[in-house]
Amino acid sequence: MIHHERYPMRPLMRSTALAVLAVLFSTAEVRAGSAMAKLSSVVDGNTLNVTLRGAAVKVRMHGVVVPPADETRPILHQLNVESVAFLKKYLNDGWVYLEFPDGSPKTDADGYIPAFVYRGNDAVFLNEKLVAAGLAIVNRKEQNTFTEKWKSLQENAISAEVGMWGSFEGGGGKEIAAGAAQGNYIGVPGATMQRRYSGPAYFRTWIFLYY
């Protein structure tokens, strides 16, 4: 028989695990279907490769959309590069906590598992962080518990002109398209709702697919 007193780290490990769970329960609405997963790689701005319950799967952040990694549309492509860098910064501990909108990890038509994604060590809500940083938009096609809060955060990002809601003025748009600058280059400061999406036509088209 193994006696616990021979392994003094076990109480510490147990208390650490409980602390993490306490953070999760206090900072988010924990749904019935959830799991920890080991991060393998960041695919793009809102999709991840992870190992979930022993299987390699692709996870897509539910309810938010990031600009696509499309080199034929350089502004969108560079914004995607920035969102990838943002996620890598937050996911350096290598673990994520996933909550599944449907209650279980179901694969969508594109082969991804939609999820609410939290950083594993402290439950930072990454879907929400991307919206607040102006690096993702709220997907009106995927309404969920958090949608109204995210819309408010999106309006804050627009007002603050951060991420994709910044300005092309002063040549910033050209710099970001060339990969020579980071952040802040799509909207027009002070624009009305009807005119704030004043980047290239392909950006406006992308916005209206989801916004």
Side-chain angles (χ1 to χ4, degrees), residues 92-103:
N92 56 10
D93 74 320
W95 288 90
V96 289
Y97 177 81
L98 307 174
E99 293 178 356
F100 308 110
D102 293 330

Side-chain angles (χ1 to χ4, degrees), residues 30-86:
V30 177
R31 294 164 181 262
S34 61
M36 292 292 290
K38 178 65 175 175
L39 178 70
S40 301
S41 63
V42 177
V43 179
D44 61 26
N46 70 335
T47 54
L48 311 170
N49 285 326
V50 305
T51 300
L52 174 65
R53 298 169 182 168
V57 299
K58 295 180 179 180
V59 170
R60 175 180 60 80
M61 292 190 188
H62 180 76
V64 302
V65 187
V66 301
D70 180 353
E71 293 185 356
T72 67
R73 297 181 290 175
I75 299 298
L76 294 178
H77 180 78
Q78 183 59 25
L79 286 165
N80 186 280
V81 169
E82 292 179 20
S83 63
V84 169
F86 183 88

Side-chain angles (χ1 to χ4, degrees), residues 32-199:
S34 61
M36 292 292 290
K38 178 65 175 175
L39 178 70
S40 301
S41 63
V42 177
V43 179
D44 61 26
N46 70 335
T47 54
L48 311 170
N49 285 326
V50 305
T51 300
L52 174 65
R53 298 169 182 168
V57 299
K58 295 180 179 180
V59 170
R60 175 180 60 80
M61 292 190 188
H62 180 76
V64 302
V65 187
V66 301
D70 180 353
E71 293 185 356
T72 67
R73 297 181 290 175
I75 299 298
L76 294 178
H77 180 78
Q78 183 59 25
L79 286 165
N80 186 280
V81 169
E82 292 179 20
S83 63
V84 169
F86 183 88
L87 285 182
K88 286 182 176 178
K89 178 186 72 174
Y90 272 96
L91 293 174
N92 56 10
D93 74 320
W95 288 90
V96 289
Y97 177 81
L98 307 174
E99 293 178 356
F100 308 110
D102 293 330
S104 62
K106 298 177 181 178
T107 304
D108 65 16
D110 296 318
Y112 293 92
I113 296 175
F116 301 113
V117 181
Y118 301 83
R119 183 162 62 179
N121 64 348
D122 61 2
V124 169
F125 194 1
L126 295 172
N127 306 52
E128 189 166 287
K129 280 287 185 182
L130 284 166
V131 173
L135 293 173
I137 60 174
V138 180
N139 187 352
R140 61 180 169 77
K141 300 176 183 179
E142 293 184 341
Q143 300 287 314
N144 60 74
T145 302
F146 305 105
T147 296
E148 291 307 312
K149 180 182 179 182
W150 291 350
K151 285 181 179 178
S152 178
L153 291 173
Q154 182 165 270
E155 288 302 311
N156 291 343
I158 291 170
S159 297
E161 300 169 7
V162 297
M164 71 180 73
W165 308 112
S167 175
F168 270 106
E169 294 179 355
K174 293 180 181 178
E175 291 176 4
I176 196 172
Q182 296 289 309
N184 304 353
Y185 299 112
I186 293 295
V188 168
T192 63
M193 186 67 178
Q194 289 72 29
R195 298 197 57 192
R196 66 167 46 140
Y197 315 114
S198 62

